[in-house]
């Protein structure tokens, strides 16, 4: 098949792949975007809503990435660490931050507990294992998150006493998966 008829074949039978590829490219992205129209998903994690407000993969951001996330009551992030800075602003709701500041030991160990609340802000030091938990019974927890050095490489722990060396790398992370795996030279 010539390249043109190959492309034609694709457009005819897989128009959806066009939609996906524009979702994953920064070319068609306008400067001012309505977050109400931004792609939003739980990426297979029940009770999570994630929007990449400005991202490395989606918008070609080089230094920082911004997320808008909502956690349903009772839901939480995995226990995890990453070698980037991370800043949270709590827009709505309340919950608990668990933070282990022991990246120099063999495992995170018992974390410190901090209450987080609407209009509070906190940052996670590089490589400290942490977990954000919506501990409220019936209110969503909504946070705006800024990370440095995107796309994020996350090491996930099953518990606070799992050795750092056993933490499992998740890369690309859930919301980067689709587009980081996109073959670059198709279409
Ligand atoms: C959070 O800050 C906004 C803006 O200053 C304010 O209108 C709102 O009442 C604050 N909410 C709480 C729960 O403090």
């Amino acid at each position: 098949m010539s390249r043109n008829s190959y492309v034609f074949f694709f457009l005819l039978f897989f128009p959806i792949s066009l939609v996906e590829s524009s979702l994953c490219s920064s070319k068609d992205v306008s400067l001012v975007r309505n977050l109400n129209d931004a792609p939003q998903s739980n990426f297979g994690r029940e009770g999570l809503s994630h929007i990449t407000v400005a991202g490395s993969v989606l918008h070609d951001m080089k230094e920082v990435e911004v997320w808008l996330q909502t956690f349903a009551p009772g839901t939480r992030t995995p226990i995890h660490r990453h070698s980037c800075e991370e800043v949270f602003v709590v827009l709505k709701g309340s919950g608990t931050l668990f933070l282990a500041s022991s990246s120099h030991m063999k495992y995170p160990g018992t974390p410190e507990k901090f209450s987080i609340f609407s209009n509070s802000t906190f940052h996670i030091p590089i490589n400290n294992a942490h977990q954000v938990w919506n501990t409220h019974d019936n209110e969503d927890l909504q946070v705006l998150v800024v990370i440095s050095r995107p796309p994020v490489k996350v090491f996930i722990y099953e518990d606070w006493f799992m050795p750092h060396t056993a933490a499992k790398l998740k890369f690309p992370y859930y919301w980067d998966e689709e587009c980081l795996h996109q073959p670059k030279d198709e279409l």
Side-chain angles (χ1 to χ4, degrees):
M1 245 194 297
S2 77
R3 187 177 162 79
N4 278 348
S5 56
Y6 180 76
V7 168
F8 178 71
F9 176 85
F10 248 84
L11 291 182
L12 199 59
F13 294 102
F14 299 103
I16 190 70
S17 63
L18 262 192
V19 175
E20 272 171 14
S21 82
S22 68
L23 229 173
C24 290
S25 94
S26 52
K27 287 183 203 111
D28 307 328
V29 168
S30 41
L31 183 68
V32 178
R33 300 184 293 276
N34 186 341
L35 284 180
N36 297 338
D37 305 330
Q40 175 275 321
S41 172
N42 68 4
F43 296 93
R45 285 164 54 182
E46 210 181 318
L48 171 73
S49 152
H50 171 97
I51 294 173
T52 298
V53 173
S56 151
V57 173
L58 291 182
H59 313 107
D60 234 4
M61 298 291 290
K62 305 280 190 255
E63 311 279 343
V64 295
E65 182 161 306
V66 181
W67 307 326
L68 183 60
Q69 297 184 323
T70 307
F71 296 88
T75 60
R76 52 191 188 255
T77 67
I79 300 169
H80 67 285
R81 74 175 148 90
H82 32 64
S83 63
C84 62
E85 295 173 308
E86 184 172 39
V87 180
F88 284 80
V89 178
V90 179
L91 302 178
K92 270 187 227 161
S94 58
T96 305
L97 162 69
F98 296 89
L99 179 68
S101 41
S102 50
S103 49
H104 56 287
M105 290 178 13
K106 286 207 162 68
Y107 52 83
T110 306
E112 268 190 90
K113 268 170 86 168
F114 301 88
S115 290
I116 60 175
F117 46 89
S118 187
N119 287 356
S120 66
T121 181
F122 54 95
H123 69 275
I124 309 295
I126 289 174
N127 272 326
N128 282 6
H130 58 284
Q131 180 176 46
V132 174
W133 197 323
N134 181 354
T135 39
H136 201 279
D137 288 338
N138 46 39
E139 258 179 43
D140 283 349
L141 170 68
Q142 188 179 52
V143 289
L144 189 74
V145 185
V146 181
I147 60 149
S148 65
R149 303 175 60 191
V152 70
K153 286 193 173 86
V154 176
F155 289 86
I156 297 179
Y157 298 77
E158 272 159 31
D159 58 66
W160 294 98
F161 296 91
M162 189 178 200
H164 294 303
T165 50
K168 227 173 158 184
L169 174 64
K170 175 86 181 121
F171 181 78
Y173 207 50
Y174 298 97
W175 35 88
D176 292 332
E177 244 166 357
E178 187 179 7
C179 295
L180 269 185
H181 280 170
Q182 188 87 352
K184 278 205 171 112
D185 297 316
E186 298 265 327
L187 283 179

